[in-house]
Amino acid sequence: MGDKMLKAVIFDMDGVLIDSEIEYLKRDFEYAKIKNPDVKMEDLFGMVGSSREDA
């Protein structure tokens, strides 16, 4: 950074700037396929926005 001082940091914890939910859903789907090979991606849509405990 040299002589420049960092003046701000942006946290995107609700997905407004970056939609990261699809990445979490992909990983959950990979895990779910191990447990239930017949699961479909659509079966997991109800988990979107849920906490890990609720999902």
Side-chain angles (χ1 to χ4, degrees), residues 1-7:
M1 278 198 190
D3 296 349
K4 297 183 181 181
M5 188 168 109
L6 187 63
K7 295 188 181 204

Side-chain angles (χ1 to χ4, degrees), residues 1-54:
M1 278 198 190
D3 296 349
K4 297 183 181 181
M5 188 168 109
L6 187 63
K7 295 188 181 204
V9 176
I10 298 173
F11 289 95
D12 179 31
M13 297 183 71
D14 60 358
V16 172
L17 300 176
I18 298 171
D19 183 9
S20 58
E21 193 68 46
I22 191 64
E23 295 305 319
Y24 287 112
L25 192 58
K26 286 178 189 176
R27 287 183 179 83
D28 287 340
F29 181 62
E30 289 173 12
Y31 179 73
K33 288 291 268 186
I34 294 168
K35 298 293 187 179
N36 178 4
D38 296 327
V39 72
K40 297 179 189 93
M41 179 68 85
E42 300 84 38
D43 296 333
L44 304 181
F45 288 169
M47 293 178 20
V48 173
S50 298
S51 69
R52 182 70 56 195
E53 293 81 24
D54 291 340

